[in-house]
Amino acid sequence: MPLAHLDRPFDYAVPEAMAAEIRAGCRVRVRFAGQLVDGFVLELADTTEHGGKLAPLAKLVSAEPVLSPEVSVLARSVADRWGGTVTDVLRLAVPPRRAAAEKRPVPEPPPLPPAPDPAGFARYPTGPALLTAVGEGRPARAVWTALPGEDWPARLVELCQAALSGGRGALVVAPDGKDLDRLAAAAEQRLPPGSFVVLRADAAPDARYRRFLDVVRGSARVVLGTRAAVYAPVADLGLVAVWDDGDDLHAEPRAPYAHARDVLLHRAHLASCAAVVAATARTAEAQLLVESGWAHELAAERIALRAAAPRVQALGADAELARDPAARTARLPSLAHRVARQALADGAPVLVQVPRAGYAPGLACDRCRAPARCAVCSGPLGISPTPGPGGSRVPACRWCARPAATFDCPHCHGTKLRASVVGATRTAEELGRAFPGAAVRVSGRGSGVLPTVPGGPALVVATPGAEPVAEGGYGAALLLDSWALLGRADLRAGEETLRRWLNAAALVRPATAGGQVVVAADAAHAVVQALVRWDPGWLAGRELADRRALGFPPATRIAALSGSPQALAEFLEAARLPADADLLGPVPEPPRPGQEGERERYLVRVPRGEGVALAAALAEVQGVRSAKKVPEHVRVQLDPLDLV
């Protein structure tokens, strides 16, 4: 039941007619409060603690045991840890039923593969030992910082192969479909046919349920998927792994809002299996795993790193400023021009990363620089990447879509506009003029994400996360508009900026092959220094130390409570918070879609060891309010990524 006060199992009697087919994990329908509702059989027993007469099961929907005991325990544990309900977790864990898929015969399990060649991990001192531990079924835990240019899909699949060769299953989660496609391609080359499935959110319902059944029935022992695959019912789980755990796509936007990385680590603890947190960069959460001793660091020696990394240059060098005094303020300084021209002349593609999609998503008054607003709804004005009739680009409101053919600044009465934010499409136009004759490709929202590009000379303009893989690697990468990333009012601004920069720079050829990276940012900035030295572990350690000193996650656990002022006041009055809880707020919160009225938000902060007690206290209040049928809902989210 989705109601918080009914978040517990209920006992029912099994009719004789169903006794032969009923088993733990199958779907049934029961009568509850006068209505027929769906349910799962959690356990079959001969006795019950219920003192009255048990109501019988109303219907056996399917005899297929789609809810394994391990996933059932995991769902209860995740609900308790993040202050949600089991129903919230199960709607993510078990896909909707498709009867036709259940009628398919059960395929024979494929033969086990041999152990993988450890040569792929040879550049990492403890890499071969990790492969051996996974193959032997030992609960090895590692935070893997991948080298630039590393074929990370192949390495992760080799870990899966090691688990499979030892007779155990594996689960790997990637942030998006582009990365998942690369994992699937690597698995097709290294794993036996039929031994793995790909679970993705954009798959057709029939295909998704069919692949889910392959995992339930044990024919597929390896699961590759996106966020919801963390609950896949892999039998004899021997390995869980997550790629690029800093990507915000791993954060579940639905209750109980658990992060995929944290669920996988919790699952590794429950199943006593190996766990790998892998990325080119490193988050503060991953650094905490290393510093606490829960996981070991898996990183290459500096000599191997220098051989694989491109040359990284930033603005601020005295010689470069003497040559180009305007380099600090120019969007594309002369250094970037020279590096791009050299790469194109060598016949290599050039990657240009810009933080914003679109053409000119932000406009301002040309005279006073005040943000341009719509005269009707006060929404921000911008220019669409799609030209209008006759090739014209007329500014329009990004809220109500009304065109703004004329503009009159309410502050200085200026009539001209300038772009305050330049998007990928506008950047592509500017680069086309700056490098005549060079092919220009755009990858990102609106124009489509390119998975790969050929290795010939071309300019590839991409937004973060949409960078295509170039055949043979890029000759150069230009990282523009650093202020848009570093200047955000976000706890994770520095960490996220380095992650995006490293993911782009990792696609560039090594310095020994002429690969260069130019970042349009001050060389003295700590994040830029971490990029130049290619040292994400240093920045992650610094971030963790700062957050520990200030009492921010992951050193603490924080719950965000959102609702109307009256509802929040009632909620906090009823909450029995831990003694060490620190209440911050309230602060105004903009209404969410479909919500009206004034809204506020509180933050409740506790030491990390009190996180479970905090979740239990908040869940208790939700249950009481649900039982009283309080009309106003309070949104509870533990460990939110965004604290702004």
Side-chain angles (χ1 to χ4, degrees), residues 452-644:
T452 59
V453 292
L459 292 162
V460 181
V461 182
T463 51
E467 301 92 347
V469 177
E471 182 181 351
Y474 290 97
L478 312 179
L479 310 177
L480 305 183
D481 299 340
S482 59
W483 56 268
L485 297 175
L486 293 172
R488 293 181 304 155
D490 186 356
L491 176 67
R492 304 174 187 270
E495 173 187 291
E496 175 66 7
T497 299
L498 182 62
R499 185 189 73 84
R500 295 183 179 188
W501 285 350
L502 286 177
N503 285 348
L507 302 175
V508 181
R509 300 171 182 175
T512 54
Q516 298 188 68
V517 176
V518 176
V519 54
D522 187 356
H525 198 287
V527 177
V528 181
Q529 283 295 305
L531 174 65
V532 171
R533 299 201 307 266
W534 207 284
D535 195 354
W538 169 78
L539 184 70
R542 174 174 170 154
E543 285 279 325
L544 180 58
D546 290 344
R547 296 188 200 177
R548 187 179 282 121
L550 297 172
F552 286 139
T556 60
R557 293 198 68 189
I558 287 184
L561 313 179
S562 304
S564 68
Q566 180 180 355
L568 285 172
E570 296 173 354
F571 189 99
L572 291 172
E573 183 179 359
R576 295 186 294 180
L577 299 176
D580 295 333
D582 187 11
L583 189 62
L584 309 175
V587 295
E589 183 182 71
R592 297 180 179 272
Q595 295 176 336
E596 298 179 356
E598 182 184 359
R599 292 183 60 83
E600 293 179 343
R601 186 186 69 172
Y602 280 94
L603 296 179
V604 184
R605 179 172 59 188
V606 297
R608 189 165 184 83
E610 297 289 336
V612 176
L614 173 63
L618 299 178
E620 179 186 25
V621 180
Q622 291 284 56
V624 171
R625 291 174 60 84
S626 173
K628 293 181 177 180
K629 299 182 180 180
V630 177
E632 292 189 65
H633 175 69
V634 172
R635 184 174 184 264
V636 176
Q637 182 177 3
L638 269 79
D639 306 325
L641 283 183
D642 185 9
L643 296 178
V644 177

Side-chain angles (χ1 to χ4, degrees), residues 197-417:
V197 295
V198 177
L199 300 181
R200 55 197 311 158
D202 57 355
D206 290 342
R208 184 183 180 192
Y209 190 62
R210 184 173 63 250
R211 297 168 186 171
F212 176 80
L213 286 182
D214 289 341
V215 183
V216 169
R217 295 170 174 178
S219 60
R221 305 285 295 277
V222 175
V223 173
L224 312 175
T226 48
R227 188 175 57 227
V230 296
Y231 303 104
V234 180
D236 298 323
L237 191 62
L239 168 73
V240 296
V242 57
W243 171 253
D244 201 9
D245 65 300
D247 196 314
D248 57 6
L249 292 176
H250 284 302
E252 178 58 56
R254 294 167 290 183
Y257 314 106
H259 196 283
R261 173 199 57 237
D262 298 334
V263 175
L264 286 178
L265 297 180
H266 191 59
R267 188 168 184 180
H269 169 71
L270 294 176
S272 188
C273 69
V276 176
V277 178
T280 305
R282 186 181 297 179
T283 60
E285 286 78 7
Q287 182 67 20
L288 180 62
L289 297 176
V290 174
E291 293 188 8
S292 65
W294 194 90
H296 295 283
E297 183 179 39
L298 181 61
E301 301 287 352
R302 295 300 298 181
I303 187 171
L305 177 60
R306 284 193 291 268
R311 181 190 180 194
V312 181
Q313 302 177 76
L315 305 182
D318 293 339
E320 189 58 38
L321 290 176
R323 179 184 292 134
D324 182 10
R328 289 189 186 274
T329 57
R331 184 165 187 255
L332 193 68
S334 59
L335 174 62
H337 270 278
R338 294 198 309 273
V339 169
R341 288 188 185 279
Q342 181 61 48
L344 294 173
D346 293 341
V350 176
L351 175 64
V352 182
Q353 186 194 72
V354 292
R356 306 290 179 86
Y359 187 81
L363 297 175
C365 174
D366 186 60
R367 180 186 296 176
C368 69
R369 303 297 193 266
R373 295 285 179 176
C374 175
V376 178
C377 71
S378 298
L381 296 183
I383 298 180
S384 169
T386 305
S392 62
R393 296 185 184 272
V394 178
C397 178
R398 293 168 56 193
W399 289 0
C400 67
R402 287 183 173 88
T406 60
F407 173 73
D408 183 14
C409 178
H411 304 284
C412 68
H413 297 288
T415 58
K416 294 182 179 181
L417 293 169

